[in-house]
Each structure stands twice: as structure tokens, then as C-alpha cells.
Amino acid sequence: MMGVFLILLWIMNMVQPNIFQAEGVQVFPPVNFTLTVSALAEVFLHWKPNPNQEQKNYTIRYDVEIITPVSEEYDTKKTHSFRTAVLHNGFLARIRTLLLFNDLQMKSDWVMGELKPPLGAAETSVTNLSCVTYITIYSTVSLHCAWFPGKRAPEDTKYFLFYRYKTYTEECQDYSKGKWNRNIECRFSRTHIDPEEVDNLIVIHINGSSKYAAIKPFQQLFNQNAIEKVNVPRNVTVFLEQNDLLAKWEKPISSFPEECFEYEFCLCNLKSGSKQILKVSSNDFRLRIDVTCRYSIQIRANHYICCERGFWSDWSEILYVGKH
Ligand SMILES: *[C@@H]1O[C@H](CO)[C@@H](O)[C@H](O)[C@H]1NC(C)=O
Ligand SMILES: *[C@@H]1O[C@H](CO)[C@@H](O)[C@H](O)[C@H]1NC(C)=O
Ligand SMILES: *[C@@H]1O[C@H](CO)[C@@H](O)[C@H](O)[C@H]1NC(C)=O
Ligand SMILES: *[C@@H]1O[C@H](CO)[C@@H](O)[C@H](O)[C@H]1NC(C)=O
Ligand SMILES: *[C@@H]1O[C@H](CO)[C@@H](O)[C@H](O)[C@H]1NC(C)=O
């Protein structure tokens, strides 16, 4: 009895996928898969349905697999998509057709697509790139980046930095130079980075030229909030109320509301030399202290909850309370 049941199950399993076969349906890979660089660190992937692919009542989708630089898989009904990725080591992806009918699916073979890495001599690209953004009092964003020249970059190497934010791209005009007069820092006092946006990417592209070698370009993607040097908390006041220390302050200059900030409160007992750092998520603070001692107080801020944490602000100016 069990045997018959199993055989029945087995037959049902065999029959199901055969609906495609019974109808003689075949699935063909997409054609003319093309990759183009559509902006700095952005790839436009596009392809055509296979002209031999019969449509009938089936749903056609495409599986896309990005292999390098960062692996990612997704499927789409469209015959194109955009991807943001660092391209200095090339870009490799493959696609296939998916034919869907109820719960059944058939997959074609894969088709590969590749963008070759840009030319350039080994170890001529910049290293240790770091970038920081600052929100100004005018609610604009400035950007500052620094790097080291590549180990084998010739003395006459000239580096050029570009940033891209969404569709806007701009070349740096304000460089600082290091040894041998090579650019090692760049400043944009004003950018198109929107301080109200959350977790958007800033693309940095640095290429260069030299008479003696082809300079390999370098790219890096930064989360706009993760590289923000947060402003200092404002209007910090501290006073004593009986045996308690009370402190109040305002959030730093920022487009984010108060709830987005956390603070570190540094309390130093100048008599004993002991130092405490307390995490606070509100804009005020009360603490029982020994009022016979004198204390120094400083506060610094960071954003979180609303977006990625940034770089901690500088400490506020030192304030003192208590007896000498
Ligand atoms: C694929 O590209 C070739 C050559 O550019 C072209 O002749 C052909 O029509 C394209 N196929 C489709 C389905 O667009
Ligand atoms: C397609 O669907 C229509 C209506 O759902 C049906 O009448 C027809 O037989 C189907 N054709 C095939 C080839 O499956
Ligand atoms: C530069 O980056 C490399 C690799 O990430 C690291 O090992 C090195 O310490 C960095 N150099 C400096 C001076 O920060
Ligand atoms: C550097 O990159 C920019 C932006 O892609 C490009 O316009 C420029 O020609 C490149 N310069 C060199 C020297 O490769
Ligand atoms: C800080 O205090 C000054 C003077 O009391 C006041 O004018 C200003 O609006 C305060 N700033 C903030 C951010 O509350």
C-alpha cells in the first residue's frame, strides 16, 4: 500500500515539470547582453529577449547575478538595470531567462557580461583614501578627502579627484600638495550633497596622469552620514542644584531632529582626578555629585537611529562647576 502511494507521488512529481515539455516549450538565454559605464561607478546593464523565445501564456523574467566587485542576485521583469559599484577592478555579471508558469519555472543557460578594469600600472593608484563631510551653518555640505600617492606612482604624478552624488559630478578645484608636489588632499567648500537625505552614497573617483606611467584610477563609495563629522552640541549650560549637577544643551547644527542624537558627557573630578564618560540620549542630564569638589564638563554628539552613526563631534568647550 505504502509502495503504491510512493509510486503515485513519484509519478505526480514526474508529470508536473513536464507541462513545459509536453507543450514542447524551450527557454533561451537573453541576447545582446551589454554593460556600459553610465556615470562614475555606475553600470547600465541591458539585454534583449531571445527572438526565438515563445511568450504564449508564460511569464518571462530575468535572473541577474553580479559576480564582482560585490556579489548580488536579483530578478527583474525589465530588460535593463542600473548598479552602483566600484569599477577600478572591473565588473562581471551574468543573466538568464526564467520562464514561469504557475509554480513551475524553467531556466535558460547563463550569458556573461564583463567590463575590463581600466588600464594603469600596478600600485600607481592612490591608497588610504578617507573622506569627511561637514554640515555648515547654511545647511550646505562641505567635503574633504585625503589619500596617499601609490607606492609606484612616479614623482610627476598628478592626481585628480571627482565626486558624484546622484546625477551630479564635479571635479575638485582646491587641492593640497604633499612631498614632490603631488596632490594628496582635496576640499569642496560647497557640494550638491543634500544634508536632509539619509544613507545616500557619495562616489569618489581619483585618477591621474604622469609622463612615465599610466596611473590606475581608484574609486570608493561612502555613505553620506557615516562620514559626517557631527557638529558640536550648542549652548551647553551646567549648574548646581543642591547636591545635583544639572546640564542642558541644544542639538548640533544639523537637518536631523533632536531624537536622532546621542551624546557623551565627560565629567572630570579635578580633586580626585577621576574621569567618567556617560552616554546620554536626551538634551539634559542630572547627576548626584560631591559638591565639595570641582568638576570640568564637556559634551560631544553623534547621530544615530535616523541614519548611520557618523564621526563623533569635537568636545564642547570646557565648563567648570563646584568649589575650588
Ligand atoms: C543584437 O545585436 C545585433 C548586432 O548589433 C543585431 O543585429 C541584432 O538585431 C540584435 N538582436 C536583437 C534581438 O536586438
Ligand atoms: C492561454 O490562456 C488562454 C486563456 O487563459 C487559454 O484559453 C489558452 O488555451 C492558453 N494557451 C496556451 C497555449 O496555453
Ligand atoms: C593604509 O592602509 C593600509 C591597508 O588598509 C593599512 O595597513 C595602513 O596602516 C594604512 N596606512 C596608514 C598610514 O594609515
Ligand atoms: C579622469 O576621470 C575623469 C572622469 O571620468 C575623466 O573625464 C578624465 O579624462 C580622467 N583623466 C585621466 C587623466 O584619466
Ligand atoms: C543659544 O543661546 C542664545 C542666547 O541665549 C540664543 O540666542 C540661541 O538661539 C541659542 N541657540 C540655540 C540653538 O538654541
Side-chain angles (χ1 to χ4, degrees):
M1 194 58 197
M2 191 63 172
V4 173
F5 179 67
L6 282 179
I7 285 169
L8 267 174
L9 256 182
W10 178 72
I11 289 172
M12 278 167 65
N13 273 330
M14 287 293 290
V15 168
Q16 285 263 323
N18 281 353
I19 285 177
F20 283 129
Q21 267 159 19
E23 303 236 340
V25 181
Q26 277 183 286
V27 58
F28 296 98
V31 298
N32 293 12
F33 180 31
T34 313
L35 300 175
T36 29
V37 178
S38 40
L40 288 181
E42 185 183 79
V43 185
F44 179 49
L45 302 89
H46 52 117
W47 57 91
K48 293 273 163 52
N50 193 304
N52 298 321
Q53 186 61 56
E54 51 178 327
Q55 313 268 334
K56 276 201 181 164
N57 295 353
Y58 311 116
T59 306
I60 291 184
R61 293 183 73 86
Y62 302 94
D63 258 344
V64 183
E65 188 185 334
I66 315 284
I67 300 162
T68 56
V70 178
S71 82
E72 183 189 358
E73 284 173 53
Y74 55 94
D75 70 290
T76 174
K77 226 165 48 185
K78 297 186 187 145
T79 53
H80 60 85
S81 63
F82 287 93
R83 277 306 180 259
T84 299
V86 155
L87 300 176
H88 60 245
N89 289 322
F91 184 91
L92 189 62
R94 57 183 193 170
I95 52 168
R96 66 182 171 188
T97 310
L98 282 178
L99 202 59
L100 305 161
F101 181 76
N102 296 336
D103 290 344
L104 301 174
Q105 60 172 357
M106 263 178 104
K107 295 165 180 169
S108 74
D109 289 335
W110 291 103
V111 203
M112 297 291 286
E114 185 178 15
L115 280 177
K116 293 258 185 266
L119 296 175
E123 300 190 61
T124 54
S125 52
V126 303
T127 63
N128 300 60
L129 173 66
S130 63
C131 293
V132 185
T133 60
Y134 303 88
I135 313 278
T136 70
I137 49 169
Y138 312 107
S139 280
T140 59
V141 180
S142 67
L143 172 68
H144 179 195
C145 294
W147 60 88
F148 295 146
K151 258 196 218 127
R152 288 166 201 239
E155 285 189 30
D156 74 330
T157 301
K158 196 150 191 244
Y159 287 115
F160 308 100
L161 181 142
F162 300 75
Y163 85 90
R164 178 171 72 80
Y165 185 74
K166 297 182 184 172
T167 56
Y168 185 83
T169 301
E170 189 179 328
E171 181 178 356
C172 185
Q173 303 297 337
D174 181 10
Y175 293 103
S176 310
K177 294 172 190 299
K179 204 167 70 168
W180 295 342
N181 229 23
R182 296 182 300 195
N183 293 339
I184 53 158
E185 269 183 43
C186 151
R187 263 168 228 278
F188 294 90
S189 56
R190 225 193 143 111
T191 62
H192 277 60
I193 298 164
D194 182 347
E196 290 180 25
E197 292 269 4
V198 172
D199 294 343
N200 256 321
L201 287 177
I202 302 171
V203 170
I204 302 292
H205 169 88
I206 305 180
N207 57 13
S209 65
S210 156
K211 267 188 259 172
Y212 309 103
I215 306 301
K216 209 170 148 54
F218 178 83
Q219 296 183 331
Q220 195 164 336
L221 311 177
F222 295 98
N223 172 311
Q224 71 173 88
N225 303 112
I227 58 164
E228 182 190 327
K229 172 78 174 176
V230 176
N231 285 306
V232 180
R234 285 174 295 174
N235 287 8
V236 183
T237 53
V238 279
F239 50 95
L240 292 176
E241 199 178 87
Q242 283 148 9
N243 292 320
D244 290 346
L245 175 132
L246 264 73
K248 286 194 303 189
W249 57 90
E250 310 283 340
K251 77 169 175 88
I253 291 168
S254 164
S255 316
F256 293 130
E258 273 183 11
E259 316 76 88
C260 299
F261 289 89
E262 65 178 348
Y263 302 92
E264 280 185 352
F265 190 91
C266 180
L267 183 70
C268 194
N269 183 325
L270 299 174
K271 194 162 155 192
S272 68
S274 73
K275 189 169 157 181
Q276 265 181 295
I277 294 186
L278 302 145
K279 280 241 194 279
V280 191
S281 52
S282 62
N283 281 39
D284 50 25
F285 185 66
R286 176 187 279 267
L287 184 74
R288 173 62 52 92
I289 55 163
D290 175 357
V291 291
T292 65
C293 300
R294 188 165 168 78
Y295 294 85
S296 76
I297 286 121
Q298 284 182 293
I299 303 176
R300 63 178 188 172
N302 204 338
H303 50 224
Y304 78 132
I305 300 179
C306 309
C307 61
E308 288 227 9
R309 277 196 173 81
F311 299 123
W312 280 96
S313 75
D314 290 332
W315 289 102
S316 60
E317 276 181 38
I318 302 180
L319 295 172
Y320 297 93
V321 285
K323 296 206 175 68
H324 273 287

